[in-house]
Amino acid sequence: MKIEEIEIILQPLREKLRNHALYSELKSVSDIQIFMENHVYAVWDFMSLLKALQINLTCTLLPWKPVINTNTARFINEIVLEEETDVNELGVLKSHYEMYLDAMVEVGADTTRISTFLNSINELDSVLSTIQNSDLNAAVKSFLSFTFETINTQQPHKIAAAFTFGREDLIPDMFLRIVEQAGEDAYPKLEYYLRRHIELDGDEHGPLSLKMIQELCGDDAVKWHDVLECSEKALQQRIALWDHIAKAIQQNKEITV
């Protein structure tokens, strides 16, 4: 099995996500608020996937030693640089998560729940129990649990699969639709955040992340099978999250009518 075969197998799930009803629901400020209040958890846990790859594929220990694959290490370090210390629309250095929180404030979305949740997390060992004991909705809990269960495998090819097919390779398609629904210049901070992701993920990160998968799997059939299985689960988790958000938006519209 190779990357092209996996992409073909995943195509139905990707099409289901690309054509999800959620996008047509994003019509008002309140719709955007609900979307961001749920999606912010995916923005946050993406960084843990990325950091897990950095720990596994670059040298973060002392004494330093050269890594096995310098190309992959550079790719990961470049993404960390851009995701953790990018420049916002005002030229200020901020992580993409912090830029997203700023965009949430701009549209009037609530940031207290995600902030409280992050303050309750101290160690990786307790993340899964903290998620399950939180007051987050079931879709977000399931989404986050899958992420950290994948990270806890400590198997780079599985983490890379969730990172590539569940996130990086998919974000440009999703965000383009959201920008179109929100309307250009409607929300400057949000639009900048989305455009920045489209620029980085579509032009640079997406193709390189596919190459990373190839390098991690090589000719190992078991690893390729793991990548396919993990990628399918990642896409299913994203669809389930999108289902929840679409339903929440619809219910809010019924209440406010």
Side-chain angles (χ1 to χ4, degrees):
M1 184 177 293
K2 297 297 180 182
I3 204 77
E4 294 81 11
E5 295 176 66
I6 287 181
E7 290 189 296
I8 291 171
I9 296 171
L10 295 178
Q11 192 61 26
L13 286 173
R14 292 170 60 79
E15 285 301 315
K16 186 174 182 179
L17 204 45
R18 284 194 185 102
N19 299 309
H20 200 285
L22 170 62
Y23 303 116
S24 62
E25 295 290 342
L26 296 171
K27 297 177 180 178
S28 68
V29 174
S30 61
D31 299 337
I32 299 295
Q33 291 169 352
I34 293 171
F35 171 81
M36 298 186 78
E37 288 168 3
N38 286 274
H39 176 244
V40 65
Y41 296 94
V43 176
W44 168 71
D45 79 341
F46 168 81
M47 283 303 301
S48 289
L49 281 173
L50 176 57
K51 285 295 184 177
L53 288 174
Q54 188 179 38
I55 290 168
N56 281 279
L57 301 177
T58 74
C59 184
T60 59
L61 301 175
L62 295 174
W64 177 88
K65 293 182 180 181
V67 296
I68 296 174
N69 192 311
T70 307
N71 289 332
T72 299
R74 181 180 177 88
F75 166 58
I76 294 300
N77 283 332
E78 285 180 350
I79 296 183
V80 170
L81 175 66
E82 292 160 347
E83 293 285 343
E84 198 168 34
T85 56
D86 203 1
V87 179
N88 73 1
E89 78 285 359
L90 300 176
V92 178
L93 292 174
K94 283 195 174 185
S95 68
H96 281 196
Y97 169 75
E98 292 169 305
M99 288 163 61
Y100 196 89
L101 287 185
D102 289 344
M104 289 180 70
V105 172
E106 178 184 58
V107 303
D110 178 32
T111 61
T112 57
R113 177 164 287 188
I114 178 65
S115 298
T116 300
F117 174 71
L118 259 62
N119 288 336
S120 69
I121 294 177
N122 298 309
E123 299 177 353
L124 180 60
D125 291 343
S126 61
V127 168
L128 286 170
S129 60
T130 301
I131 292 169
Q132 292 307 314
N133 294 327
S134 71
D135 63 351
L136 301 177
N137 63 69
V140 170
K141 282 185 178 181
S142 180
F143 189 93
L144 292 176
S145 294
F146 169 75
T147 295
F148 286 97
E149 286 166 0
T150 302
I151 289 171
N152 285 341
T153 68
Q154 297 186 35
Q155 297 183 56
H157 66 288
K158 292 183 179 180
I159 300 169
F163 177 88
T164 299
F165 292 105
R167 306 301 181 93
E168 288 292 281
D169 191 41
L170 193 61
I171 283 172
D173 291 328
M174 294 191 307
F175 281 2
L176 273 172
R177 288 178 177 268
I178 294 169
V179 168
E180 289 169 1
Q181 292 294 335
E184 291 189 12
D185 301 323
Y187 315 112
K189 292 182 182 295
L190 175 59
E191 184 179 346
Y192 179 86
Y193 172 87
L194 298 181
R195 294 294 182 191
R196 183 64 175 146
H197 259 284
I198 291 166
E199 175 188 350
L200 292 174
D201 298 336
D203 297 339
E204 301 175 24
H205 296 174
L208 288 173
S209 63
L210 294 177
K211 187 175 181 180
M212 172 177 63
I213 294 284
Q214 291 176 312
E215 292 175 344
L216 289 173
C217 292
D219 296 322
D220 191 324
V222 174
K223 286 185 177 180
W224 280 111
H225 175 77
D226 288 343
V227 165
L228 175 59
E229 184 177 52
C230 190
S231 300
E232 287 177 326
K233 290 179 179 178
L235 288 168
Q236 288 162 354
Q237 286 292 333
R238 177 72 72 167
I239 290 169
L241 180 61
W242 261 214
D243 288 344
H244 167 79
I245 299 174
K247 185 176 180 180
I249 291 173
Q250 291 166 358
Q251 290 175 338
N252 182 64
K253 289 177 180 177
E254 292 172 1
I255 294 172
T256 56
V257 169

